[in-house]
Amino acid sequence: MGKDGFLTPKAIANRIKAKGLQKLKWYCQACEKQCRDENGYKCHMTSESHLRQLLLIAETPDTYLDNYSQEFKSEFIKLLSRRYNTKRVLANQVYQEFIADRHHLHMNATHWDTLTDFVKHLGREGICHVDETPKGWFITWIDNSPKALERQAANQKRERQDMDDEQREQRMIQEQIERARLESSGSGLNSSGREDQA
């Protein structure tokens, strides 16, 4: 009988097989267990530990669903804000990066059935600007952090100041044009009035 150890051929083979992403339909979010094939998933579904976990979830299903949804949303937004910041990006591209992590929270454990539903939710909540194109759903994260709001206020103040400077210059130019027009029309009247008297 061989020993079960870290460096045994069987353990190495199992680690190699477990590498990378597996099929979503063979993942149990309740137990956070990924199975390699349909038979393994079927055995897991009938296991005692899985049934105990389901009984726990059955006591307060809404709590678990809300927690999974909140966690999925916060992790997705964290990835979106850090990786893409306020750039317009295809929602599916962000989702593909999100699920590339092997230990991500699966969307089928949340309130949302599809990525489209989730993206629409982000738009309704005011977290992202959302627009649909023939290529798919595009999202742009709205940065509501205090630093970003201060930056935005400073930019608006600077723009107003620039506009005020431009408006002052335009007003001064207009006044000079009016004065020049009045002077030229006033001097024209004087000369024509003198000629009439002479």
Side-chain angles (χ1 to χ4, degrees):
M1 283 240 302
K3 292 182 181 177
D4 289 333
F6 185 71
L7 294 175
T8 61
K10 183 175 181 177
I12 293 171
N14 284 340
R15 280 197 305 277
I16 290 171
K17 287 181 203 170
K19 252 186 193 175
L21 295 175
Q22 304 289 323
K23 287 198 175 184
L24 178 61
K25 65 181 180 178
W26 298 327
Y27 183 79
C28 176
Q29 185 67 55
C31 302
E32 296 181 7
K33 178 169 175 47
Q34 177 71 58
C35 300
R36 278 191 229 129
D37 55 13
E38 192 171 357
N39 186 42
Y41 187 67
K42 184 176 143 192
C43 291
H44 169 72
M45 296 303 274
T46 57
S47 70
E48 188 179 334
S49 63
H50 176 75
L51 296 175
R52 266 189 273 123
Q53 188 67 25
L54 285 184
L55 288 174
L56 282 174
I57 291 174
E59 291 175 7
T60 56
D62 291 337
T63 306
Y64 280 91
L65 192 62
D66 291 341
N67 288 341
Y68 287 145
S69 298
Q70 278 302 112
E71 186 179 339
F72 179 84
K73 182 173 146 185
S74 66
E75 292 297 318
F76 187 89
I77 292 170
K78 191 185 299 181
L79 173 69
L80 178 65
S81 64
R82 288 187 177 159
R83 175 87 165 86
Y84 297 101
N85 204 1
T86 55
K87 294 179 185 170
R88 183 174 179 260
V89 65
L90 191 62
N92 195 33
Q93 181 180 349
V94 180
Y95 183 69
Q96 291 300 322
E97 281 188 39
F98 181 76
I99 65 172
D101 175 23
R102 186 168 178 208
H103 301 290
H104 72 278
L105 184 79
H106 292 264
M107 187 182 279
N108 61 359
T110 66
H111 291 293
W112 307 286
D113 295 328
T114 62
L115 182 61
T116 301
D117 292 342
F118 178 63
V119 167
K120 287 179 180 177
H121 169 76
L122 292 177
R124 281 192 302 271
E125 292 288 313
I127 297 168
C128 296
H129 290 293
V130 176
D131 57 324
E132 184 181 14
T133 65
K135 290 185 176 182
W137 288 90
F138 281 85
I139 55 177
T140 308
W141 179 58
I142 301 170
D143 191 0
N144 290 330
S145 65
K147 287 183 179 180
L149 294 176
E150 286 176 18
R151 246 184 286 128
Q152 189 177 9
N155 286 343
Q156 287 177 347
K157 184 178 178 182
R158 194 175 311 116
E159 286 175 8
R160 271 188 258 123
Q161 189 175 8
D162 292 344
M163 285 285 285
D164 289 344
D165 291 344
E166 287 177 23
Q167 288 173 351
R168 267 191 239 117
E169 287 178 20
Q170 289 292 329
R171 215 177 306 126
M172 287 175 54
I173 291 171
Q174 286 295 87
E175 288 173 4
Q176 288 175 354
I177 292 171
E178 287 296 318
R179 269 190 259 133
R181 191 178 298 141
L182 288 173
E183 287 177 7
S184 65
S185 65
S187 63
L189 284 174
N190 289 340
S191 62
S192 64
R194 287 182 192 158
E195 288 175 3
D196 290 342
Q197 290 175 358

